[in-house]
Amino acid sequence: MTLDSPAATERLARLGYDYVCLDGQHGLLDYAGLLAGLTAIDAGGVSVGLVRVQANDPAQIGRALDAGATGVIVPLIDNAAQAAEAVAATRYPPAGRRSYGPMRSSLRIGPKPADADATTLVFAMIETIDGLENVERICRTPGLDGIYVGPSDLCLAVGGAYPNDPAVADVFEDALRRIQQAAAAAGVAAGIHVPDGESAAKRLAEGYAFVSIASDLVHLEQVARGHLGAVRSRGQQQ
């Protein structure tokens, strides 16, 4: 979800997706939007709410979790040390450095820090050349639940002139295989953002554990374009 529209978020969260991710990095959401979006997801009673936070920052990670996120996706992780910092931001002392103030999250998890530590997910984004080169070590970070591919940035990182640049398609696919295999070897989940359902099925068949399919804006535009095309086509036939 990139839009600050709780009603739309709730509708999509009732469709049967395992999770709905609020994009706090590139989306048009401030903290109030994240809070309203997570509340809307919980109201649907079907999906869990994840947040892609703006940066590998303990304050931002803590606020997203306090607002009720089941887990966080942390962008631009280049090495295992940064991955360990992200994990520490999701865990209460002595396991980490998360400050205690659960707010909404206590409604879902309960007040005990150990319960929150055991049920909070943290994923490191692999989207830079350093992240790719260090992916095996990143995956072995204690407490990390998985990694998540940012395909647009990763494509640029491996030499693409723009996202989905066909000139680097083979190199990009090799990178995706390496990332998936590194996660499997370490026993953590590998996830990736994809543009559509067919791509999602393809990546799952390749061994990816979870996929985020497009976004609210993309869904809206695609359906609206389809309706417009249908009526124009019908009009030309008459």
Side-chain angles (χ1 to χ4, degrees), residues 100-221:
Y100 189 82
M103 301 302 166
R104 280 200 71 252
S105 63
S106 64
L107 301 174
R108 178 171 52 80
I109 298 171
K112 293 183 180 179
D115 293 339
D117 289 352
T119 56
T120 296
L121 302 173
V122 54
F123 302 100
M125 287 196 74
I126 306 298
E127 52 187 340
T128 67
I129 199 64
D130 286 339
L132 178 61
E133 289 305 310
N134 293 315
V135 66
E136 289 82 9
R137 288 184 288 274
I138 290 171
C139 287
R140 294 195 295 268
T141 302
L144 190 71
D145 294 288
I147 53 178
Y148 185 82
V149 176
S152 294
D153 282 315
L154 183 63
C155 184
L156 298 179
V158 299
Y162 51 86
N164 300 315
D165 185 352
V168 297
D170 291 343
V171 177
F172 179 73
E173 290 297 324
D174 287 343
L176 293 189
R177 280 189 289 272
R178 177 178 177 180
I179 292 167
Q180 188 277 321
Q181 290 169 2
V188 298
I192 185 171
H193 192 96
V194 297
D196 51 51
E198 289 185 2
S199 300
K202 177 177 183 289
R203 297 308 180 192
L204 291 171
E206 292 170 350
Y208 276 82
F210 65 102
V211 291
S212 299
I213 302 174
S215 70
D216 47 2
L217 272 176
V218 172
H219 295 313
L220 178 65
E221 183 178 14

